[in-house]
Each structure stands twice: as structure tokens, then as C-alpha cells.
Amino acid sequence: AMTGTGKVEVSGAGTLTLTAPISFPALAFLSGQINGSGDVLAGTGGTISWDGGLFGTGGGKVSVSGTGTMLVNTVAPKTLNRLLETVGGTASITWGNGTIDIGTNGFINNAGFFESTADTTLNNSGVGTATVTNTGTFKKSGGGGSTTFTNVELVSSGTLWVASGTVNLANATLSGTVDIDSSRVLLVDSNLVTLNTPNFIDNGLLQVTIGQLTMNGTFSLPNLQFDNGLLDGTGAVTHTGPFVWNG
């Protein structure tokens, strides 16, 4: 067990290998690698600052629980080759800069609060499917440009909240709450996005510029703009606001 309030730092070309789970009061991961079968844990009062480096394979995961937090704040390269999870509604990840590369064996399960406070990118840099599963809240709260999923699939039965700028999806399945604030955009510009009876709130724009939007179930859409691509599905969709069909 690790006790006290001090900080563990991994930097330079250093490698930290864990063979058992360790709960860190404060972990500063600046560069290098964290590997091994042991879990990297941040529970209540714990903080992981991920400013760069590779969370490698080996069977371990990165888990934020209780009121624990992860902060992602620099443009330095960051690669995830293992599970990153938030457990419980008060665990949080605040992502303020840069690209997170999801490599082979990497995926994200968010049951807490995952917040992008800037224009950021989730990128699939590995082999196979990279997936973000959201049963909590995924929110874009800052940056007037885009938070972009590049070949990273989003499966959301929780809340997807666009409070600033644009969220640009790759393949996605949305079945929970979709909150697009006024003058904000949820963008489908490639791939396949499936809506399975989601609950749309607020009056921001769902925009399809290319790709396929499949709508299943009975629900209401407050603001849809269809520029190009394919609309499909078995849904009974009520348009409660503008529906602009340009192509």
C-alpha cells in the first residue's frame, strides 16, 4: 500500500512497472511508460496528471473512482494501450489539451464525468476497434472548434453534452441523453451514427454532411440539418424544430 500525500513522478525515458494495484495520492505522468499487470488507481482524494507518456499493456488498467480525478493538460504525445475507466458518478477526467491516442488493447469506459475543456482529439492509433463506452456524462465544455473522434467509436447510453463548439463523431451508437446547447453542433461527417431512441434536449444542431445516420425507435429531434449522405432506420421521428435538407 502507498500512504502519505507525496507525489510519484514518471518522466524522461523512465518506465514504471506495476505487478500489483497501487492507489496513488498523486501521480505525475510526464513521459516514459507505465506497464505491468498492476492497476493504476486514483480513489477519493487521488489525482493522476497525465501530461505525456504511454500507458502500456500487461493486463493492468487505469481506474479513477470515488472523487478521484485525472487531469490531461498538455499537447505532449499520450498513448493508451489498456483500459481507462471512471467508476461512479463523482469520478472525473478533465481533458484540457492535445490528442489521446488509443492504441492496441486500449479503450475507455466512462461511468463518471469525462470533460473536454478545449478542442481535442481521440485518435485510434492501434490495430482493431478503439471504443469509448459512456454510461456517465461526456461533455465538451470549452473550445470553439471541435472535439473529434478519429476512428474511435462512441457507444453512449449516458449523457453526451455539447456545451461548446462541435463534437465530431466517427462511428457511434447513441441511446441515452443527447444535450446539444443552443448554437452548438453534433456533427456526422463520415462513418455510421445510429440513434436508438435517444432523448434529445435543448435546441442545438445535429448536422449530417456525409456518412449515414440511422434512426431507430420513437423520439423527437429539435434541430436537424442534412447536407449529404444517407438517412436510414425504422424510427418514428418527430421534428419539433427546423429540419433543413440541403442534399
Side-chain angles (χ1 to χ4, degrees):
M2 183 173 292
T3 59
T5 59
K7 178 177 70 174
V8 174
E9 180 177 305
V10 181
S11 60
T15 297
L16 175 64
T17 300
L18 303 180
T19 58
I22 294 182
S23 185
F24 291 88
L27 172 64
F29 189 17
L30 307 180
S31 60
Q33 298 185 40
I34 297 179
N35 295 323
S37 59
D39 297 340
V40 179
L41 307 175
T44 294
T47 301
I48 299 170
S49 296
W50 187 17
D51 291 336
L54 166 67
F55 278 112
T57 57
K61 62 185 178 182
V62 183
S63 184
V64 183
S65 62
T67 60
T69 60
M70 172 180 269
L71 306 175
V72 185
N73 285 326
T74 74
V75 297
K78 305 169 194 71
T79 300
L80 179 70
N81 282 355
R82 56 170 63 192
L83 168 64
L84 168 60
E85 66 176 8
T86 58
V87 180
T90 56
S92 65
I93 297 174
T94 302
W95 180 22
N97 213 330
T99 295
I100 297 175
D101 286 313
I102 301 180
T104 303
N105 299 315
F107 55 105
I108 297 173
N109 288 344
N110 175 51
F113 194 76
F114 195 122
E115 183 175 17
S116 173
T117 60
D119 298 331
T120 49
T121 300
L122 279 165
N123 177 60
N124 182 356
S125 64
V127 176
T129 302
T131 303
V132 175
T133 300
N134 176 50
T135 57
T137 297
F138 185 100
K139 179 182 182 182
K140 178 173 172 60
S141 63
S146 294
T147 287
T148 301
F149 289 74
T150 303
N151 297 319
V152 174
E153 182 175 2
L154 173 65
V155 179
S156 180
S157 58
T159 297
L160 174 60
W161 186 357
V162 187
S164 182
T166 297
V167 171
N168 186 347
L169 297 171
N171 286 349
T173 302
L174 310 180
S175 59
T177 296
V178 181
D179 184 352
I180 312 171
D181 286 1
S182 179
S183 302
R184 312 309 180 201
V185 178
L186 181 61
L187 180 63
V188 181
D189 72 349
S190 64
N191 303 113
L192 170 62
V193 173
T194 300
L195 306 179
N196 289 331
T197 321
N199 177 32
F200 278 85
I201 60 177
D202 222 319
N203 63 353
L205 178 64
L206 173 61
Q207 183 177 9
V208 183
T209 60
I210 196 169
Q212 181 174 328
L213 180 66
T214 297
M215 299 183 286
N216 300 319
T218 301
F219 61 95
S220 297
L221 265 178
N223 192 354
L224 174 63
Q225 181 174 319
F226 181 62
D227 297 323
N228 201 353
L230 176 65
L231 292 180
D232 195 7
T234 60
V237 180
T238 301
H239 295 274
T240 58
F243 176 15
V244 178
W245 193 333
N246 291 324

